[in-house]
């Protein structure tokens, strides 16, 4: 019965019907013995004539018997549903069939079409495979892998039987078993599935890739085609099973960001939001609502028209009345793919942004010019400046400041310099400006140190003075492509053209002025009309340093007297504080990893996880670990500054031991809240905004022809359209056989009738048979 199951979908009928093949033979034998022989003289003549035709008659009768036997056999094969698929010949290999299913559980499988989703259709395919396999017990095995975690099989090499079918019906219920919100790696999934199949040497092997087959994942993906070709050459049949026929329209919130690091209470924060039309038709009058801590704000962003494939950006200003951590959302109306209709952003609103200004000349007024530009009205800018001398660098934790200005400081004591470098490496921002107190040799020994220090370039021995040329219309200051100059550039803002530079420190002669030819990470952001750099910046660890090669006050230039100076300083602060990616803005699936100083925090961590119906609270315990993070260098960023506790210039009291905790399950989009407890029993809260990958919003489905082109001419690769499950029942494999059997049956019936008529007795027309 087992081997029949590999050839027939109705093996019981085949087994019972096999005996019917003998019926024509039995009838033939009965007809030969039912007459009694009687000898009489008149028959002698006839017997002599019969002897001459006997051999021919015997052959004709045997042919008629064969035709009738073949008719019965053809009817039997049709009723029992013969399948002549080479992959079904387990009988001849003395083995069983192993089905490995790679199930796509990416976010895009949540797209709804009518009453179903691509995910629901994928689960239905697996249940159908199991149901059909259970009809042939002890011949089928099943392994199911999720594309999001292919190394952790859901089902591992299980015999397909009725208990498994019932288990899958309950376990694979799309109402409770949901896909991820992530993008998946099909190459890793095919690798894991291939390893399982290639290790199984004893049986027929089938790989079923159940996916919505989005163009972004499969179009012209030669590495995937190469993996599938390798499996096919190893006699693995590969089935590419679609779960959705085509993509529907989709509008997605694809951007929500801004200079959130500069958010201050009472100061408008400008955010940029973007909506992309991933459909094929124009979208009009698209409205997005803005939410603050779950409450809808009066602000509504209106997108009048969005062309297909285009992202449209709008700006919206939010003002937070008090300091604290805010949860901001932009939401569109729900459509057939609600996953990307909302985008989240966490904002840490400060009472004010603290900025430290260190002036190397106590009698000078450079610091006051910078302070007036930044915080003449702190309520309007949200910045709070503190003016100190260089001793502050060793007396106060620098991490209390978001940005430090170092004005007219030519050198520092080693301990102060060490604290300042650690501050910048951990993500701090530093602006340096030269002045009369700066000497090139001392500056280079302290701040440049042949490229390993804070300064982006080595200074020459002395500054260069320029004579004012009133006849020249060429501006002294030429701004580059930098956020600090964005507003000031263009014909509508001629203020920079009126800036005059009288004195400038030029680089040492060996320094290469061209950024590309120099090949380091520093970048010139403003130049003098002579080509000399005026302003240059470089990354230093996780932070950034900007060096102004003239004074920050009207001593070597008149920039501080120009209206552009205030705009420049404010935008420079914003760009430096917001430098780098927002570490609290993440993609679902990225773990939350905290490395805490045990001298500051306890090991108790509380995590609030967003869910569809609210928040779920987890209580975690951090474990002590040796801090293995490599020290940052000028060219190598330090560890992620967002997760560890805010550092201080001083070394941790616990040495290199850190309290480490990690939460890997971050699949649900939303705001994750981490609550820490300090050793003083003060609660500290951190927010992390998790959003779906932008790639998952592109729902275009690869056409079958393109998918075949990607796969090439690889044999044993079959593509099955969405909703077509006849191939599971073997109808695709056996359809050609049934057609041939039907044609053969008709021919056999016609031949049997003709031969039967020819061999029977028919009197001549008008003659009466006696």
């Amino acid at each position: 019965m087992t081997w029949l199951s590999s050839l027939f979908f109705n093996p019981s009928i085949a087994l019972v019907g096999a005996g019917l093949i003998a019926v024509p033979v039995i009838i033939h034998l009965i007809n030969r013995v039912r007459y009694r022989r009687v000898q009489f003289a008149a028959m002698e003549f006839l017997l002599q004539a019969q002897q001459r035709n006997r051999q021919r008659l015997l052959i004709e009768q045997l042919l008629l018997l064969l035709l009738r036997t073949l008719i019965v056999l053809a009817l039997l094969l049709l009723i029992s549903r013969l399948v002549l698929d080479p992959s079904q010949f387990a009988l001849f290999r003395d083995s069983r069939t192993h089905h490995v299913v790679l199930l796509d559980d990416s976010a895009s499988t949540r797209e709804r079409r009518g009453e179903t989703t691509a995910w629901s259709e994928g689960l239905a395919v697996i249940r159908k495979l199991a149901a059909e396999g259970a009809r042939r017990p002890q011949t089928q095995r099943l392994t199911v892998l999720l594309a999001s975690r292919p190394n952790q099989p859901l089902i591992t090499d299980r015999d397909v039987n009725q208990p498994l079918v019932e288990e899958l019906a309950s376990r694979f219920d799309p109402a409770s078993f949901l896909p991820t919100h992530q993008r998946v790696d099909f190459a890793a999934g095919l690798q894991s599935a291939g390893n399982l199949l290639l290790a199984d040497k004893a049986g027929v092997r089938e790989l079923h890739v159940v996916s919505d087959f989005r163009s972004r994942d499969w179009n012209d993906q030669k590495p995937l085609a190469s993996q599938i070709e390798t499996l096919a050459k190893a006699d693995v049949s590969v089935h590419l099973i679609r779960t959705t026929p085509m993509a529907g329209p989709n509008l997605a919130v694809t951007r929500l960001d801004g200079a959130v690091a500069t958010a201050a209470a009472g100061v408008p924060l400008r955010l940029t939001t973007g909506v992309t039309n991933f459909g094929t038709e124009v979208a009009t009058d698209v409205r997005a609502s803005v939410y603050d801590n779950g409450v809808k704000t009066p602000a509504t962003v209106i997108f009048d028209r969005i062309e297909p494939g285009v992202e449209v950006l709008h700006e919206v200003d939010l003002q937070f009345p008090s300091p604290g951590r805010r949860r901001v959302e932009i939401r569109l109306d729900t459509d057939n793919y609600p996953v990307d209709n909302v985008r989240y952003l966490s904002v840490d609103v400060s009472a004010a942004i603290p900025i430290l200004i260190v002036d190397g000349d106590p009698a000078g007024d450079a610091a006051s010019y910078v302070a007036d530009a930044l915080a003449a009205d702190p309520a309007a800018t949200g910045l709070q400046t503190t003016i100190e001398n260089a001793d502050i660098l060793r007396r106060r934790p620098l991490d209390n400041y978001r940005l430090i200005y170092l004005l007219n400081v030519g050198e520092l004591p080693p301990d102060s310099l060490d604290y300042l470098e650690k501050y910048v490496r951990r993500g701090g921002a530093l602006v340096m400006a030269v002045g009369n107190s700066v000497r090139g040799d001392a500056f280079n020994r302290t701040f440049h140190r042949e490229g390993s220090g804070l300064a982006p370039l080595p200074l020459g021995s002395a500054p260069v003075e320029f004579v004012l040329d009133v006849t020249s219309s060429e501006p002294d200051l030429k701004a580059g492509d930098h956020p600090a100059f964005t507003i000031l550039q263009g014909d509508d803002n001629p203020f920079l053209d009126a800036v005059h530079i009288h004195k400038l420190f030029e680089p040492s002669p060996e320094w290469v002025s061209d950024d590309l030819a120099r090949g380091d990470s520093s970048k010139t952001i403003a130049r003098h009309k002579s080509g000399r750099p005026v302003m240059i910046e470089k990354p230093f660890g996780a932070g950034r340093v900007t060096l102004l090669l003239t004074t920050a006050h009207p001593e070597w230039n008149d920039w501080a007297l120009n209206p552009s100076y205030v705009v420049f300083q404010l935008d420079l602060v914003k760009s430096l504080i917001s430098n780098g990616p927002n570490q609290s803005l993440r993609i679902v699936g990225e773990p939350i990893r905290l490395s805490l100083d045990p001298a500051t925090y306890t090991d108790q961590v509380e995590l609030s996880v967003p869910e569809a119906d609210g928040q779920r609270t987890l209580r975690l315990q951090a474990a002590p670990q040796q801090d293995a993070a490599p020290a940052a260098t000028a060219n190598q960023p330090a560890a992620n500054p967002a997760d560890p506790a805010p550092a201080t210039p001083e070394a941790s009291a616990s040495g290199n031991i850190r309290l480490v905790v990690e939460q890997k399950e971050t699949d649900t989009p939303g705001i994750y809240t981490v609550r820490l407890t300090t050793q003083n029993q003060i609660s500290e809260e951190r927010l992390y905004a998790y959003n779906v990958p932008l790639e998952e919003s592109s729902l275009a489905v690869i056409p079958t022809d393109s998918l075949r082109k990607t796969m090439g001419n690889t044999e044993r690769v079959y593509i099955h359209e969405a909703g077509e499950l006849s191939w599971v029942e073997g109808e695709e494999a056996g359809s050609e056989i049934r057609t041939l059997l039907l044609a053969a049956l008709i021919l056999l019936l016609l031949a049997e009738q003709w031969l039967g008529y020819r061999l029977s007795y028919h009197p001549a027309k008008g003659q009466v048979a006696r």
Side-chain angles (χ1 to χ4, degrees), residues 22 233 320 419 610 684 765:
K233 288 181 178 179
F320 306 103
Y419 296 155
E684 181 180 304
K765 188 175 181 180

Side-chain angles (χ1 to χ4, degrees), residues 107-108 110-111 180-181 335-342 669 692 696:
S108 61
R110 293 173 176 262
E111 183 195 15
T180 69
H181 291 86
D335 56 15
N336 288 331
Y337 187 54
V339 171
D340 57 9
N341 289 344
V342 59
V692 296
E696 287 300 302

Side-chain angles (χ1 to χ4, degrees), residues 67-78:
L67 287 174
R68 289 169 176 170
T69 304
L70 290 176
I71 288 172
V72 175
L73 178 61
L75 287 172
L76 173 64
L77 295 179
L78 282 172

Side-chain angles (χ1 to χ4, degrees), residues 288-292 295-297 299-301 316 318 328-331:
S289 301
V290 183
Y291 289 78
D292 175 19
V295 178
K296 186 176 180 180
T297 68
T300 299
V301 186
V316 58
L318 293 182
V328 179
E329 306 170 32
I330 294 286
R331 298 182 190 174

